[in-house]
Amino acid sequence: MNTNYLRTRIGISMILFLMVVIFSAQNVGLVDIQFLRWRFEIPRSVLIGLVLLIGVMIGWSARTLGDALKCQRGKS
């Protein structure tokens, strides 16, 4: 992988992460969450962090699955 590509990707990731941190810090009010029969309040910043974490996990899983499928196709 090209080092310039990697540096650019890391830089963009850091900028996006910083933007999420600033956005979360500005949104600290409580939010009502209802899921099935549960209901609770959490700070909006925690909700933003959880949604970001879930998105990263889904993206990482999709990338890993895609790489595994490519590798499997290459062997057959």
Side-chain angles (χ1 to χ4, degrees):
M1 196 179 288
N2 190 350
T3 57
N4 286 335
Y5 171 76
L6 189 58
R7 285 183 187 168
T8 302
R9 192 168 172 177
I10 289 172
I12 291 171
S13 297
M14 290 175 61
I15 290 170
L16 289 173
F17 179 74
L18 183 61
M19 289 173 63
V20 168
V21 168
I22 292 169
F23 184 77
S24 296
Q26 292 177 345
N27 291 285
V28 292
L30 290 177
V31 180
D32 283 330
I33 303 293
Q34 249 182 301
F35 181 70
L36 299 176
R37 299 183 69 84
W38 300 313
R39 183 180 178 148
F40 49 94
E41 289 184 348
I42 61 173
R44 194 173 296 135
S45 57
V46 173
L47 180 62
I48 292 168
L50 286 173
V51 170
L52 175 66
L53 181 64
I54 290 168
V56 167
M57 289 171 51
I58 290 171
W60 177 78
S61 298
R63 173 87 186 247
T64 302
L65 180 62
D67 289 346
L69 290 173
K70 281 182 189 175
C71 183
Q72 188 178 31
R73 272 189 246 145
K75 289 182 180 179
S76 2

